[in-house]
Structure formats: structure tokens, C-alpha cells
Amino acid sequence: GPDFRQSLYCHLLCGLIFREEIQLVSSTFAHSIVHAFRTLEQVWEELCVDIREGILTSRITFPSVRSAMAKLLKPNPELADLIRRKISGLSNWYGLIPELFPNVKYIYGIMTGSMEHYLKKLRHYAGDVPLISADYGSSEGWIGANINPNVPTESTTYAVLPNIGYFEFIPLKENVEEQVHDTGDANILSMEPKPVSLTEVKIGEEYEVIVTSFAGLYRYRLGDVVKVMGFHNSTPELKFICRRNLMLTVNIDKNTEKDLQQAVEEAAKLIAEEKQEVIDFSSHVDMWTDPGHYVIFWEISGEVSDEVLKECCNCLDRSFVDAGYVSSRKVNAIGPLELRILRRGTFQKVLDHYLGLGAAVSQFKTPRCVGPT
């Protein structure tokens, strides 16, 4: 269907109609799966009415979609009653997926990097159903395979596929030696280290990935930062760390997407005690103030007192342990961190904005760091 919301509603309806045949819940990114079941929380009663009466809701307006669904939808009050009983018996939606789809074997999608934030909610919906992180790829091509799918998703590593492209790795050590490149006309001083090949990487070190592909990319910098965790035979096993260009920095501080996520997780524990959760988050470096400071945006599930939010703000500030940030805060070279609470539905509007620009929902990633515009 041309409209993502209408398509999602019909996907959920089809899933419930064929609930015993569903063996896999999957999407490109974990965010899409969480979004689907958050939507189910809101529309499940309407879905039950459709199933009971065998008539599709008027919210679906496209004739081709209504025609396709009419072939599948028949009055089934027994199924509608069963779904109502199953959902009514849940405690805060825990175990929703296996309760509705009893034959689901596992849940599959990209769950590393910026998707790690959604794992807690996904586990809540999944109950005992295993989560399996998808293989490591990008728009530019595949890089590695998840060959240990049984490990917890936070520990997922990817064995590089050595025959799918030519891979090089830029070391990201801080103490990079200066290199002089002779270009013929002049010597150029470079602070970036020389890339190493697939077999020259070292366990425990971090690198940026470079790929030369059969599709025509030549020494293309993916911008992904990975850590070598070991080797599978002779090919390295990589753990995805973060995107290199997503960096919070005011002066000498450097906090990555991973640092931001860990800070948010630590501070979110304070509102978890109030039975609330961080639905989503982003960040911004505000240089209009003197000194500049970090701004963290939260959308939370319900009301939280100002006292608790102040504690969350302090916790976020303390959780950035980068030496440059800590020392700069001590001498007030970076101002106090600011926590801004967004209206409910803000990140849904962000998603709608990207979809309006022609993006696919399956490819959507919440922007974790936003610029001044």
C-alpha cells in the first residue's frame, strides 16, 4: 500500500488471522519491530472488531488494499474472543509475541549499534522467544556473517566474508604517528594511520572499515567503527561499535553514539523506578551558549516529577566518562548538560517526516545527533 500506517495495520491483521502459521517476526531494523507492536497496543481492539465482523476498518482507504484484504477476512468471532483473552491476560504487554503467535521460533533483525536502545522493549514483547541479530551489511554491500547466533545480541560479532569484497581497516589508536606522504610535488603531513589488510588487524583494537567491492566502489570508507574480538579460522570477528561521524564534541571531548547510549541507559534506570521508560532519544551540541554544552532530548512514556528529571540530568552528565569531557566540565570549558523532555509522539513525527521525503520505514534510523538546523 502507498501509506505505511495502513500497510502496517494490514500486516498486523494478517498476522492475527494466520497466527498459528507465523514462525518468524522480522524486519531490517529492531526499531521497526518495536514500532509495529507499539502500534498493536493502540489498535488491537479495532483489529478484533475487524476479525469478529469480517469487515475491514474504514481507516484503510486504498481500494487495492481493501480488495486484497477482503479475500482474507471472514467473520471469525471465536478468533476475536481468543485474541481478546490472550491480550487481556498479559501483564503490561510482557510476552505479547509468543502469546499471539505461539509457533514463532525467533525474532530477527539488525539489533546492534543505534538499534541497541530498542532491545529492552523488544525483549519485553518477546518473552522467552530468542532475539537473533542479522548479518552485518550496509547499503554498499555485505561485510560479515553472524556465525554465533545464540549469544546475547549485545555480544554479537560478525565474521568478515573475505570473498565478498576487499577489506581494509584504518587503526583508530589515539597515539597515531605522523606520516609524511610524498605526492611528487610536495610532502603532505598526515595524522591518519596507514590502512591494514584483513589479516593484519589485532584483537582488541578498533578500526574504521574500508571496502573495495565488485559493484565498483574503490577504497570506500563506510564510516563504521568496529572492534576486533577474535578470529574465525583466519578471518576477523568484528563487533560493531558506532558510526564515526556521530560524535558529540565541544572542544577536546569526544563522545560517540555508544557513549551517548550508555549514558541514556544509566539515567533511564531512575525513571524505570517510576514505571516509565525512554521511548527514544537524540542529542545536540549547543554552541550558542558560552561555554557550549550538550543537549539530550528524551521522549518518555508518562509523567515524571521535576526532581527525578533533575536527577536524570545529573546522571547523564556524570555518565559521560570521556577524559576530555570530565576535565572540561571541571574547569567549566563545557557548560552543564541540558535535558529536554519532548512531547509524546515527537519521534513518530520525525519518522513521518522522513517517510514524507521518500524514505522506507524498514531503513529508518532515529537520528542520534542533530545539527543546528
Side-chain angles (χ1 to χ4, degrees):
D3 180 79
F4 144 70
R5 280 196 179 93
Q6 294 189 27
S7 294
L8 176 56
Y9 184 93
C10 292
H11 287 160
L12 293 171
L13 183 56
C14 288
L16 293 174
I17 294 170
F18 299 102
R19 61 184 293 270
E20 294 190 355
E21 296 176 40
I22 306 298
Q23 297 190 39
L24 167 67
V25 176
S26 172
S27 188
T28 305
F29 293 125
H31 168 266
S32 302
I33 305 174
V34 170
H35 180 77
F37 286 100
R38 278 201 168 116
T39 302
L40 181 66
E41 286 187 37
Q42 299 164 3
V43 302
W44 72 272
E45 291 180 291
E46 196 172 350
L47 290 164
C48 283
V49 171
D50 291 356
I51 293 170
R52 181 181 301 281
E53 298 177 354
I55 300 172
L56 189 62
T57 176
S58 59
R59 75 160 65 204
I60 309 302
T61 57
F62 294 100
S64 59
V65 178
R66 293 192 68 85
S67 173
M69 289 303 298
K71 297 173 184 175
L72 301 173
L73 195 57
K74 303 290 183 285
N76 193 338
E78 294 82 7
L79 178 58
D81 289 339
L82 176 64
I83 292 167
R84 182 172 290 277
R85 284 198 306 274
K86 295 280 188 187
I87 291 179
S88 299
L90 295 173
S91 173
N92 194 28
W93 302 97
Y94 179 81
L96 172 64
I97 291 174
E99 199 64 33
L100 291 182
F101 311 113
N103 295 313
V104 161
K105 305 291 190 297
Y106 59 96
I107 297 166
Y108 182 82
I110 294 172
M111 300 179 189
T112 52
S114 61
M115 295 299 135
E116 279 191 26
H117 171 70
Y118 308 105
L119 286 180
K120 185 177 180 182
K121 190 68 175 178
L122 194 51
R123 283 200 176 95
H124 186 79
Y125 286 138
D128 296 330
V129 177
L131 305 184
I132 297 181
S133 192
D135 294 334
Y136 177 22
S138 65
S139 303
E140 293 78 24
W142 290 106
I143 296 132
N146 178 4
I147 57 169
N148 301 303
N150 291 330
V151 303
T153 45
E154 292 87 347
S155 304
T156 299
T157 58
Y158 304 97
V160 178
L161 303 169
N163 59 340
I164 209 165
Y166 183 74
F167 296 97
E168 297 170 277
F169 301 86
I170 301 175
L172 294 182
K173 281 185 177 178
E174 293 295 334
N175 56 342
V176 173
E177 296 178 2
E178 293 183 351
Q179 299 178 36
V180 177
H181 297 288
D182 184 2
T183 62
D185 298 325
N187 290 336
I188 298 175
L189 190 66
S190 170
M191 292 300 293
E192 193 156 74
K194 184 180 179 182
V196 298
S197 70
L198 193 69
T199 57
E200 295 173 318
V201 295
K202 296 177 181 177
I203 294 174
E205 300 290 341
E206 293 186 358
Y207 300 88
E208 182 184 350
V209 183
I210 304 175
V211 61
T212 297
S213 72
F214 292 109
L217 293 175
Y218 179 71
R219 304 195 92 185
Y220 182 89
R221 295 175 67 156
L222 287 180
D224 289 356
V225 175
V226 297
K227 185 175 184 178
V228 178
M229 305 302 291
F231 284 86
H232 178 76
N233 297 328
S234 298
T235 193
E237 287 191 41
L238 309 177
K239 180 178 176 60
F240 181 89
I241 301 298
C242 64
R243 295 282 296 164
R244 192 172 186 181
N245 60 346
L246 293 177
M247 188 83 71
L248 289 169
T249 179
V250 174
N251 45 44
I252 62 169
D253 53 307
K254 290 181 180 178
N255 281 296
T256 66
E257 181 182 6
K258 186 75 173 176
D259 298 323
L260 171 64
Q261 184 174 309
Q262 288 173 344
V264 168
E265 286 175 359
E266 193 61 34
K269 292 175 183 175
L270 298 172
I271 67 166
E273 296 170 7
E274 309 274 314
K275 301 289 190 286
Q276 304 297 337
E277 63 179 327
V278 177
I279 291 175
D280 224 326
F281 66 94
S282 191
S283 65
H284 170 60
V285 171
D286 188 346
M287 298 300 288
W288 291 99
T289 58
D290 186 21
H293 68 283
Y294 291 6
V295 179
I296 308 299
F297 302 101
W298 275 11
E299 182 183 332
I300 52 182
S301 55
E303 295 298 321
V304 178
S305 69
D306 286 348
E307 284 68 29
V308 173
L309 290 175
K310 285 176 184 175
E311 279 303 307
C312 290
C313 191
N314 289 332
C315 183
L316 282 165
D317 212 353
R318 291 191 303 268
S319 297
F320 287 107
V321 295
D322 167 68
Y325 184 79
V326 174
S327 60
S328 296
R329 285 288 288 117
K330 283 180 179 176
V331 299
N332 203 35
I334 296 177
L337 181 141
E338 180 182 353
L339 174 60
R340 295 186 192 173
I341 305 302
L342 306 173
R343 289 192 186 100
R344 287 290 305 276
T346 294
F347 282 97
Q348 176 64 50
K349 288 184 178 179
V350 173
L351 171 60
D352 291 342
H353 170 73
Y354 278 91
L355 295 177
L357 296 175
V361 68
S362 62
Q363 291 291 318
F364 175 76
K365 294 180 184 177
T366 300
R368 292 293 180 224
C369 187
V370 296
T373 57

